[in-house]
Amino acid sequence: MQNNDQDIHAQPILIVDFGSQYTQLIARRVRECGVYCEIHPFDIDPQHIAEFNPAGVILSGGPESVTEGQTPRIADEIFALGVPVLGICYGMQAMASQLGGIVSASNKREFGHAQVEMVSPSKLLKSLGDGKGSANVWMSHGDKVSELPTGFICTGSSGSAPIAAMELAEKNFYGVQFHPEVTHTDGGDRLLLNFTKDICGCAGDWTAANIVEDAIAKVREQVGTDKVLLGLSGGVDSSVVAALLSKAIGDQLTCIFVDNGLLRKGERDEVELAFQNAIGEGELSPLNIITVAAEDEFLDKLAGVDDPEAKRKIIGGTFIDVFDREAQKLQDVNWLAQGTIYPDVIESAASKYGKAHVIKSHHNVGGLPERMTMQLVEPLRELFKDEVRKIGLHLGLPESLVHRHPFPGPGLGVRILGEVKKQYADVLREADKIFIDELRKADLYSKTSQAFTVYLPVKSVGVVGDARRYEHVIALRAVETIDFMTARWAHLPYEFIELVSNRIINEISAVSRVVYDVSSKPPATIEWE
Ligand code: XMP
């Protein structure tokens, strides 16, 4: 348990982002070491660095080359902080080049496994690899450090990168050419533990129990005796916010659950059930949930609309109207709770630099805070999804809810291609239930990251028994992914797909054919619209 004087943010690690696809992974691995960290862009205001007062700094990899003029550099202030610095890949090269070493360009990229030999004892590389001084690591680079900066020694060497690890121990400056944050690097987690605990001296008190306790204290301080409103959707984030707030402020919390007619079968009941156990065991107080039956309102507005972005805007806008209307009926509510998580915060900060590219408008309740004159309470703002799940379990929510696949805000609205109709939504709900139930039965649910069915309003001929059937098509979609930015279609067993297909066609007369989607992302997206 956290004692009251403990500040779990007191020894943070600053992660300086040079644009690597692995930057968030570095942060997640550092958090797994029990250490709080934040990601900031490489051109962060130096004053912010000082205010952040890090216990150590990690410089990420990046797509650029330090051998070219206008590429990102490390702020000099970082080397003057007097704290340990670890450069990874581009971060190591930038460090080497800025401290007087030489980086050479190479026209051949090295990508994949490599063997690094430990050539000198190192606090950073201690206990890495096979225990005999050799480790299998993951490389992804073109350039490499060819001459060490003054005072540095080489601690690790690989065939293609003779200086694969370097350090200046008296200043605690370290660099590795390989990627300790990816699981392919043997003992990469050990390296990050060595850095954060042994080298930076972090206490490792960033644990689920402490995070919950800290969040509860903050929420209580923030809202006092005021009432708080939350849009509960059945997804992981809003459910964990509900559990956390219920624990922190009990019946000062009211949840609104909007049934927009585009939810999965039994969605509302599933959330209720999930909370019942935790409530029964005395972990949480009973939730005040107001359910708003707004199916007709949503479907009326969607009638005749087939453009995906127009549908998203209508669903998002109607949600705000309905939610706002219900909130007006409540007295004295001045806080709106939201399940914003850390990747949302990083992405909206990054978009200032013009890097974010909108492929689909992922707005759920984006317009709500502006419309409502309420203050925001966002207790998950600092957390990655895996941390949200951990604290959900810690709060007593069941695995089945906490490890649920993501479900998009517009719900079945983007899984019924073209115009949305109630009869299509009803069919899709049945098909989806069959697919998900079978995945759970076959122990495949947790092996896929997201799985669902899609309604294709094209007609196809079939024959069931002796009768001809001319009905619509259901597509099965299942993907494996870590970050949902890229995804591979799940290689589900043929027998399993056959079973699901048979059940859907036999049990749902409005379906004549089932197909399996074998597109990966990119070039396809996970959802069909
Ligand atoms: P795509 O289809 O862009 O999906 O590959 C990536 C992830 O985002 C989810 N998704 C959405 N989530 N509102 C949401 O809240 C949306 O409009 C939306 N569109 C896609 C999708 O389910 C997947 O997990």
Side-chain angles (χ1 to χ4, degrees), residues 159-390:
S160 62
I163 303 175
M166 63 174 200
E167 67 185 50
L168 176 60
E170 71 205 53
K171 288 203 160 177
N172 274 323
F173 290 166
Y174 301 84
V176 286
Q177 183 53 67
F178 56 90
H179 288 270
E181 68 277 20
V182 304
T183 47
H184 307 296
T185 291
D186 263 359
D189 48 353
R190 181 74 233 180
L191 185 154
L192 290 172
L193 204 63
N194 291 342
F195 182 70
T196 53
K197 294 264 181 72
D198 296 351
I199 297 172
C200 300
C202 299
D205 47 16
W206 184 258
T207 60
N210 287 345
I211 297 169
V212 166
E213 201 159 320
D214 180 75
I216 287 176
K218 279 208 183 112
V219 167
R220 285 185 181 149
E221 192 185 309
Q222 198 179 3
V223 309
T225 52
D226 290 353
K227 289 189 186 155
V228 179
L229 188 63
L230 167 70
L232 191 59
S233 70
V236 179
D237 301 340
S238 69
S239 301
V240 174
V241 173
L244 194 61
L245 292 185
S246 150
K247 186 128 187 156
I249 55 170
D251 63 7
Q252 285 165 250
L253 172 71
T254 300
C255 302
I256 296 185
F257 184 91
V258 177
D259 182 355
N260 58 8
L262 304 167
L263 302 174
R264 289 164 293 190
K265 196 169 174 180
E267 192 94 57
R268 163 79 162 79
D269 298 343
E270 224 168 293
V271 186
E272 281 255 284
L273 206 69
F275 276 85
Q276 259 161 23
N277 274 343
I279 293 164
E281 284 171 18
E283 293 281 340
L284 303 173
S285 337
L287 284 186
N288 305 318
I289 307 181
I290 300 171
T291 301
V292 192
E295 180 179 39
D296 292 346
E297 186 169 345
F298 279 85
L299 294 185
D300 286 352
K301 291 214 178 120
L302 285 167
V305 182
D306 57 12
D307 174 69
E309 282 302 293
K311 281 162 52 176
R312 271 197 169 75
K313 294 219 159 67
I314 290 173
I315 298 168
T318 312
F319 180 87
I320 293 173
D321 291 344
V322 172
F323 195 90
D324 194 16
R325 205 168 56 217
E326 287 307 312
Q328 303 286 344
K329 295 183 193 160
L330 301 167
Q331 301 286 309
D332 314 321
V333 180
N334 27 21
W335 293 88
L336 178 69
Q338 284 204 324
T340 315
I341 64 172
Y342 192 43
D344 306 332
V345 176
I346 302 171
E347 268 148 42
S348 46
S351 63
K352 275 204 310 251
Y353 300 84
K355 283 186 187 156
H357 177 64
V358 178
I359 296 173
K360 294 175 187 177
S361 52
H362 286 199
H363 57 84
N364 287 340
V365 287
L368 260 183
E370 293 94 68
R371 170 86 73 93
M372 307 177 101
T373 49
M374 289 187 191
Q375 302 182 75
L376 274 184
V377 50
E378 298 178 304
L380 311 181
R381 256 185 94 81
E382 288 178 344
L383 306 183
F384 285 105
K385 194 86 174 185
D386 42 347
E387 296 173 312
V388 172
R389 294 200 164 104
K390 276 187 203 146

Side-chain angles (χ1 to χ4, degrees), residues 80-111:
L81 286 170
V83 301
V85 181
L86 167 63
I88 297 175
C89 196
Y90 183 89
M92 170 196 190
Q93 295 160 7
M95 178 193 269
S97 146
Q98 284 176 246
L99 297 180
I102 294 180
V103 175
S104 343
S106 152
N107 43 20
K108 195 166 151 269
R109 277 195 76 79
E110 184 188 20
F111 183 80

Side-chain angles (χ1 to χ4, degrees), residues 312 360-362 364 406 408-410 450 484 521 525-527:
R312 271 197 169 75
K360 294 175 187 177
S361 52
H362 286 199
N364 287 340
Q450 197 172 8
F484 296 88
K521 174 183 180 176
T525 51
I526 295 173
E527 303 287 347

Side-chain angles (χ1 to χ4, degrees), residues 4 14 48 54 120 178 255 277 295 417 438 515:
N4 287 338
L14 169 68
H48 269 88
S120 196
F178 56 90
C255 302
N277 274 343
E295 180 179 39
L417 303 195
E438 290 299 338
V515 295

Side-chain angles (χ1 to χ4, degrees), residues 9 15 21 43 60 127 136 158 184 337 360 362 436 460 509:
H9 300 88
I15 298 175
Q21 55 169 331
D43 52 359
S60 86
S127 319
N136 191 279
S158 78
H184 307 296
K360 294 175 187 177
H362 286 199
I436 299 300
S460 140
S509 59

Side-chain angles (χ1 to χ4, degrees), residues 115-122 124-137 154-158 165 178 186:
Q115 209 61 31
V116 167
E117 306 303 324
M118 264 64 100
V119 295
S120 196
S122 159
L124 182 76
L125 306 180
K126 193 181 60 192
S127 319
L128 211 67
D130 61 3
K132 295 189 205 116
S134 182
N136 191 279
V137 302
C154 172
T155 51
S157 240
S158 78
F178 56 90
D186 263 359

Side-chain angles (χ1 to χ4, degrees), residues 265 426-438 441 463-465 469 471-472 474 498-514:
K265 196 169 174 180
D426 287 341
V427 168
L428 190 55
R429 265 188 276 274
E430 294 304 323
D432 204 70
K433 180 158 175 24
I434 292 173
F435 188 27
I436 299 300
D437 281 354
E438 290 299 338
K441 266 196 244 165
V463 51
V464 177
R469 202 189 263 181
E471 289 292 352
H472 289 154
I474 289 287
E498 183 180 26
L499 171 81
V500 174
S501 160
N502 285 345
R503 273 200 62 193
I504 291 177
I505 296 174
N506 289 334
E507 295 173 31
I508 309 174
S509 59
V511 179
S512 61
R513 194 171 293 264
V514 171

